[in-house]
Amino acid sequence: AQKITQTQPGMFVQEKEAVTLDCTYDTSDPSYGLFWYKQPSSGEMIFLIYQGSYDQQNATEGRYSLNFQKARKSANLVISASQLGDSAMYFCAMRERNQGGKLIFGQGTELSVKP
Amino acid sequence: SQTIHQWPATLVQPVGSPLSLECTVEGTSNPNLYWYRQAAGRGLQLLFYSVGIGQISSEVPQNLSASRPQDRQFILSSKKLLLSDSGFYLCAWSVQSKGTNQPQHFGDGTRLSIL
């Protein structure tokens, strides 16, 4: 069974608008962390934001915020005021405490920002 | 600050030839180290991870192997490459922690093409 599901293979957004990238996860470990990474066409993986399973508030990092709904097991990434440079692949990943430092990645969403 | 170096950036190899990809980390001690493979347009598949010198865990059976001869050096090898070994290989490191909040930090990747 998929542990991380990203149902949107591709998304388009107009420059300066907000966009939400979906991520649902599946785990029985009560302690876990959720991460979002950005992968531009050049290939490097850039860490964006982290949310812990026990965090009471949604994580925010600049224009990135995480809409964490624990009961629904979803951790959607919200990018506000999209910029052309936001065009990239975005990956959701999970780290379970009982699995050491390993990350499980979703299949990714390709975001295209239109001018 | 910590940096991760991965080389070569691109590699074209014939089927049946050997492989050696190297990754080194600077600015930290005793990191967890990881090798991932990414097929075109897909998510990342964890191949190997290491929590210390000489300690290697394999995630998927294949004709690849990994070694960690020094604390901050991680090598991915093959004695005989297959066509299916083509892909984008990423090395990553993270701080050793029992918690879930440590992100992995990635190198720039190696694009491997098998002919």
Side-chain angles (χ1 to χ4, degrees):
Chain A
Q2 289 278 4
K3 287 216 167 188
I4 297 284
T5 303
Q6 294 181 253
T7 57
Q8 307 152 311
M11 290 276 289
F12 288 92
V13 65
Q14 205 67 36
E15 193 178 8
K16 300 181 184 177
E17 292 184 351
V19 63
T20 298
L21 306 183
D22 295 341
C23 173
T24 58
Y25 59 92
D26 184 28
T27 181
S28 57
D29 192 336
S31 180
Y32 54 90
L34 297 157
F35 302 80
W36 277 91
Y37 284 83
K38 172 183 179 181
Q39 187 180 39
S41 58
S42 52
E44 74 269 30
M45 294 286 285
I46 303 167
F47 166 62
L48 296 178
I49 195 168
Y50 162 82
Q51 180 84 44
S53 59
Y54 294 118
D55 292 344
Q56 295 296 312
Q57 295 192 336
N58 288 337
T60 60
E61 288 287 348
R63 293 186 300 110
Y64 303 109
S65 61
L66 208 151
N67 183 1
F68 181 47
Q69 298 187 47
K70 193 170 182 177
R72 293 187 175 185
K73 294 188 174 179
S74 75
N76 299 337
L77 177 70
V78 180
I79 305 175
S80 63
S82 296
Q83 301 173 357
L84 296 178
D86 294 333
S87 294
M89 284 290 288
Y90 288 82
F91 291 95
C92 180
M94 177 173 65
R95 174 177 174 171
E96 298 166 300
R97 186 180 63 179
N98 65 6
Q99 292 295 317
K102 294 187 288 184
L103 282 179
I104 304 166
F105 283 85
Q107 292 300 299
T109 295
E110 184 173 8
L111 178 66
S112 298
V113 180
K114 294 183 173 181
Chain B
S1 64
Q2 302 90 358
T3 55
I4 178 169
H5 303 279
Q6 188 181 340
W7 68 93
T10 59
L11 190 60
V12 180
Q13 292 285 96
V15 171
S17 63
L19 173 74
S20 180
L21 302 181
E22 190 162 343
C23 172
T24 59
V25 181
E26 295 177 359
T28 188
S29 296
N30 199 28
N32 284 345
L33 296 171
Y34 309 86
W35 277 112
Y36 290 89
R37 178 168 59 202
Q38 184 179 28
R42 302 292 300 276
L44 276 68
Q45 179 188 36
L46 180 62
L47 301 176
F48 301 96
Y49 73 97
S50 172
V51 299
I53 295 174
Q55 300 179 61
I56 309 294
S57 296
S58 174
E59 290 295 298
V60 291
Q62 61 219 324
N63 69 320
L64 299 171
S65 63
S67 62
R68 184 171 177 173
Q70 299 180 47
D71 181 44
R72 291 169 290 174
Q73 183 185 27
F74 206 23
I75 298 172
L76 183 68
S77 303
S78 174
K79 292 182 179 178
K80 281 188 176 183
L81 285 167
L82 307 173
L83 284 174
S84 58
D85 292 324
S86 291
F88 188 53
Y89 289 81
L90 286 154
C91 181
W93 74 273
S94 71
V95 172
Q96 287 214 12
S97 169
K98 292 185 178 179
T100 64
N101 64 340
Q102 294 297 329
Q104 292 182 14
H105 306 277
F106 288 79
D108 290 339
T110 296
R111 295 194 185 279
L112 176 62
S113 299
I114 309 300
L115 303 180

